Amino acid sequence: MQYIDFHTHTPPEDKKHVRAIVSCVAPEPLEKYENGNLFSYGIHPWYTKGHDIGKLLAHVRDMAHFNKVVAIGEAGLDKLKGPQMGEQKKIFCYHIEISEEVKKPLIIHSVKANNEVLRLRKKMSPLQPWIIHGFAGHPQEMQQFVDAGFYLSFGPKILYHNNRASESLAEVPDDRFFLETDHTNKTISGLYDRAADIRGISLKELEKTINKNFKTIFD
Ligand SMILES: [Zn+2]
């Protein structure tokens, strides 16, 4: 099995079987996570306090050009935490610009802000793929994102029974989803097991589907 952990903050120990996108939060240096093979780089809405945002954004733009930085983010909007919404939107829009400029996908953190994120994609019609990480919305919301061209990455919430994330994962089209461990100590193999179960397919089939989606986004 070849697993893909689409979004994590810890480089995988088993690099032979796990390909991960390690989320590096500005201004962290990539070296801190040397063991990770691929990275995303961006300003997380939770960690802006005490930083000169102009400088931080310039730094993100520089880092975005590195080959091993394959995606921009996580960046986005969070109504429960972080600076006021106007400021968050400004920072997020800057990430959208960078993603388009360097032609790399955008990994999005969205908390209680799904409508705004949907609106922004419609308004800006970017060419790069946008991926909502840690998606836990209900199936109707999932469908709205799919219709708008998004990809959705599902996290450890799918491990618990009877929740919206699992319902959405059961219905999301084959060509639009990923799995991720994010901040947790859950294993990506455990998530694959559960996801295969939820979708009623074999692990091999799931592996093939996710590998294909990964290729679509990055090749
Ligand atoms: Zn994260």
Side-chain angles (χ1 to χ4, degrees):
M1 275 294 285
Q2 178 69 51
Y3 298 100
I4 290 171
D5 189 348
F6 197 81
H7 178 87
T8 179
H9 293 264
T10 328
E13 274 165 31
D14 180 4
K15 273 172 70 182
K16 202 170 152 228
H17 297 104
V18 183
R19 236 176 147 197
I21 299 180
V22 180
S23 181
C24 206
V25 176
E28 277 180 337
L30 290 183
E31 296 77 59
K32 186 176 162 193
Y33 298 117
E34 226 160 14
N35 291 332
N37 39 9
L38 305 169
F39 297 93
S40 66
Y41 205 89
I43 302 175
H44 192 297
W46 292 358
Y47 307 115
T48 55
K49 237 193 185 144
H51 288 290
D52 174 335
I53 297 299
K55 258 193 200 161
L56 216 52
L57 285 167
H59 182 59
V60 173
R61 174 165 262 144
D62 287 342
M63 298 305 286
H65 290 277
F66 277 70
N67 278 342
K68 53 186 174 179
V69 173
V70 296
I72 307 307
E74 59 184 301
L77 305 174
D78 192 321
K79 286 203 177 152
L80 299 182
K81 224 168 148 178
Q84 52 116 320
M85 221 7 82
E87 176 74 2
Q88 289 198 30
K89 262 189 196 153
K90 250 199 271 172
I91 298 171
F92 182 44
C93 286
Y94 201 89
H95 284 79
I96 299 171
E97 271 174 38
I98 296 174
S99 151
E100 292 295 297
E101 186 184 299
V102 299
K103 299 189 169 62
K104 292 179 183 177
L106 184 62
I107 298 178
I108 298 169
H109 170 102
S110 170
V111 174
K112 305 240 178 264
N114 286 350
N115 285 335
E116 277 85 349
V117 173
L118 275 163
R119 255 202 301 277
L120 274 173
R121 182 154 179 110
K122 280 178 191 151
K123 191 173 133 200
M124 300 177 85
S125 12
L127 297 176
Q128 288 307 306
W130 285 16
I131 306 95
I132 302 288
H133 103 79
F135 183 75
H138 49 69
Q140 295 94 303
E141 227 170 344
M142 176 275 289
Q143 197 55 53
Q144 277 184 307
F145 276 113
V146 166
D147 291 344
F150 284 78
Y151 290 79
L152 303 167
S153 178
F154 293 85
K157 285 205 173 124
I158 63 162
L159 296 172
Y160 307 100
H161 288 269
N162 305 323
N163 62 68
R164 293 178 312 184
S166 303
E167 281 171 37
S168 291
L169 176 60
E171 292 177 26
V172 68
D174 270 341
D175 61 348
R176 293 302 183 83
F177 76 97
F178 295 101
L179 298 172
E180 63 173 58
T181 58
D182 199 5
H183 280 289
T184 68
N185 56 7
K186 302 291 180 206
T187 62
I188 192 67
S189 60
L191 284 168
Y192 267 66
D193 286 341
R194 175 80 180 126
D197 211 31
I198 288 170
R199 291 179 68 80
I201 57 172
S202 69
L203 263 183
K204 269 282 156 209
E205 240 175 292
L206 182 65
E207 176 189 37
K208 226 168 104 186
T209 301
I210 293 181
N211 284 354
K212 196 171 161 205
N213 293 344
F214 198 76
K215 266 201 148 132
T216 307
I217 284 195
F218 291 112
D219 284 356

